[in-house]
Amino acid sequence: MNLILSFGSVAFIIFRMSGIVSADGVYLIYPPFIATSTSQIVLNHGDNLTIECRGRYPVRWILPNNLVENEAKQNRFTHLDEVSVQDADYPFRSSILAQVLEYSDTGMFHCAYNGTYDLNSLDNVSSVYVFVFDENHLFAPVESSPYLDFIIHPIHQHKESVIPCRTTHPLVNVSLFKQHTLVNVSSDAGIEYDPTQGFLLYYPNSFFSGYFECRAAFKNITSVRIIHLQWLR
């Protein structure tokens, strides 16, 4: 399991790695994955962050897409690599550090063995989602758009899609509206909400065309994001 320690506004996450055990008890591989039911942490705007990952082989950190595409934001993150001679099983360690986090830092941070490019590989990748809450920004930014509250987004016929309304806190309540009418969000309707992605559309049809609103509410704070969905066949 992974251990999360918090000292004031600084959060430390230590990944404890597990391998795949054969029938005779021999570890065949040592993937840097998090053996826990949770892979999310929540911080506030202005907090500091230190995340440490350990591996049997050299590892590296891969930032969320919205940070990868912004050189200025990348430079705010510092990487520290070291080798521990005391830990024979997981000697390679890599830490990522950042000070004064911003809401736009919200996203999935991946730790992968060097040379790994498939981020879905459980044998070689460990991931943790970091929420950076900002009461002035309930919605996280969209990588493909320079605007925060008005998004143009394509939806492909019969192809699983996402309406990008992910939030900066997992407990923000988000409702979907079309022309001021509440949209039924349920598995039966083929729509679900995930705060790390937005509204998941499993079987999108022509209904998902035109202007929609994502309405967010958290405590006494509200926010609206307008999205124009472009229906593509």
Side-chain angles (χ1 to χ4, degrees), residues 2 21 26 41 60 65 93 99 101 119 122 136 189 198 203-204 214-215:
N2 66 306
V21 185
V26 177
I41 62 169
R60 76 187 193 283
N65 289 337
R93 303 181 181 185
Q99 294 183 337
L101 290 173
L119 298 183
L122 295 180
N136 295 316
Y203 314 105
C214 294
R215 300 182 185 180

Side-chain angles (χ1 to χ4, degrees), residues 153-213:
H153 188 71
I155 297 292
H156 297 270
Q157 182 180 18
H158 305 317
K159 182 178 180 180
E160 186 174 317
S161 302
V162 176
I163 299 178
C165 290
R166 62 192 184 101
T167 55
T168 59
H169 194 288
L171 298 183
V172 173
N173 181 56
V174 182
S175 301
L176 183 63
F177 286 78
K178 180 178 183 180
Q179 297 177 351
H180 306 293
T181 299
L182 181 65
V183 177
N184 177 28
V185 176
S186 67
S187 57
D188 291 339
I191 311 173
E192 293 185 348
Y193 182 74
D194 181 342
T196 68
Q197 298 183 64
F199 289 99
L200 309 179
L201 310 179
Y202 295 109
Y203 314 105
N205 52 41
S206 58
F207 172 81
F208 295 99
S209 177
Y211 288 94
F212 285 75
E213 288 184 358

Side-chain angles (χ1 to χ4, degrees), residues 8-210:
S9 62
V10 182
F12 296 83
I13 309 170
I14 299 176
F15 289 68
R16 295 181 179 177
M17 307 304 178
S18 300
I20 294 178
V21 185
S22 65
D24 57 0
V26 177
Y27 278 86
L28 302 179
I29 58 175
Y30 297 79
F33 82 99
I34 309 170
T36 181
S37 60
T38 179
S39 58
Q40 301 177 356
I41 62 169
V42 182
L43 295 173
N44 293 313
H45 172 84
D47 285 353
N48 299 333
L49 174 70
T50 297
I51 309 177
E52 182 183 70
C53 177
R54 300 177 181 180
R56 187 170 180 82
Y57 314 105
V59 292
R60 76 187 193 283
W61 281 100
I62 301 173
L63 298 177
N65 289 337
N66 54 297
L67 300 179
V68 170
E69 298 174 0
N70 189 314
E71 185 174 353
K73 288 186 176 295
Q74 285 188 59
N75 294 335
R76 295 176 44 249
F77 289 83
T78 303
H79 299 259
L80 177 62
D81 299 324
E82 60 181 346
V83 178
S84 173
V85 295
Q86 287 81 21
D87 191 343
D89 290 331
Y90 308 110
F92 296 95
R93 303 181 181 185
S94 181
S95 297
I96 186 169
L97 305 90
Q99 294 183 337
V100 191
L101 290 173
E102 301 174 357
Y103 79 97
S104 56
D105 296 326
T106 296
M108 188 74 77
F109 290 75
H110 303 279
C111 175
Y113 283 129
N114 288 353
T116 300
Y117 297 97
D118 179 9
L119 298 183
N120 294 316
S121 172
L122 295 180
D123 295 344
N124 299 294
V125 180
S126 172
S127 303
V128 59
Y129 196 92
V130 178
F131 290 93
V132 183
F133 176 66
D134 183 342
E135 62 180 14
N136 295 316
H137 298 282
L138 294 186
F139 289 113
V142 178
E143 296 95 353
S144 60
S145 175
Y147 306 105
L148 294 176
D149 299 321
F150 180 77
I151 310 295
I152 299 176
H153 188 71
I155 297 292
H156 297 270
Q157 182 180 18
H158 305 317
K159 182 178 180 180
E160 186 174 317
S161 302
V162 176
I163 299 178
C165 290
R166 62 192 184 101
T167 55
T168 59
H169 194 288
L171 298 183
V172 173
N173 181 56
V174 182
S175 301
L176 183 63
F177 286 78
K178 180 178 183 180
Q179 297 177 351
H180 306 293
T181 299
L182 181 65
V183 177
N184 177 28
V185 176
S186 67
S187 57
D188 291 339
I191 311 173
E192 293 185 348
Y193 182 74
D194 181 342
T196 68
Q197 298 183 64
F199 289 99
L200 309 179
L201 310 179
Y202 295 109
Y203 314 105
N205 52 41
S206 58
F207 172 81
F208 295 99
S209 177

